[in-house]
Amino acid sequence: MYAQYTAVAEMAPRGRRGIWSSLVYTSGTCGILARSALAAALAGALPPGAMSARGWRVPFLLGGVVGLYTLVMRLRLAETQVFDRQRATSRPPL
């Protein structure tokens, strides 16, 4: 979890690190709001017994799709310049 904050702070331009780092927290809060809205929409749209019978699967399916998309994005993401510089100058661990 903390690696994301560090990566964002390292990639941000000087003078913008604070605002870029705060976007990590903001996006987490937006995720909480989105899943709450999805749960409310499903509970309101489905008949009374349908949520416990099959409706609970919908958020898991959507989460799986988003998770796969995130995995592909992260695998294609380049390392930061700071990390590459440090890796080039440090010795490999035993």
Side-chain angles (χ1 to χ4, degrees), residues 63-85:
V65 171
V66 171
L68 288 174
Y69 174 73
T70 304
L71 178 64
V72 169
M73 256 186 8
R74 287 187 65 139
L75 290 174
R76 293 181 180 179
L77 187 64
E79 293 292 346
T80 63
Q81 292 175 355
V82 173
F83 180 81
D84 283 338
R85 245 182 288 133

Side-chain angles (χ1 to χ4, degrees), residues 11-70:
M11 293 176 78
R14 289 205 183 276
R16 297 282 184 207
R17 288 186 177 148
I19 190 77
W20 280 41
S21 296
S22 70
L23 291 176
V24 175
Y25 292 107
T26 304
S27 65
T29 303
C30 289
I32 292 169
L33 291 173
R35 76 174 181 222
S36 298
L38 177 63
L42 285 174
L46 296 175
M51 187 65 171
S52 61
R54 67 183 183 280
W56 60 270
R57 293 181 179 111
V58 174
F60 285 98
L61 292 173
L62 290 174
V65 171
V66 171
L68 288 174
Y69 174 73
T70 304

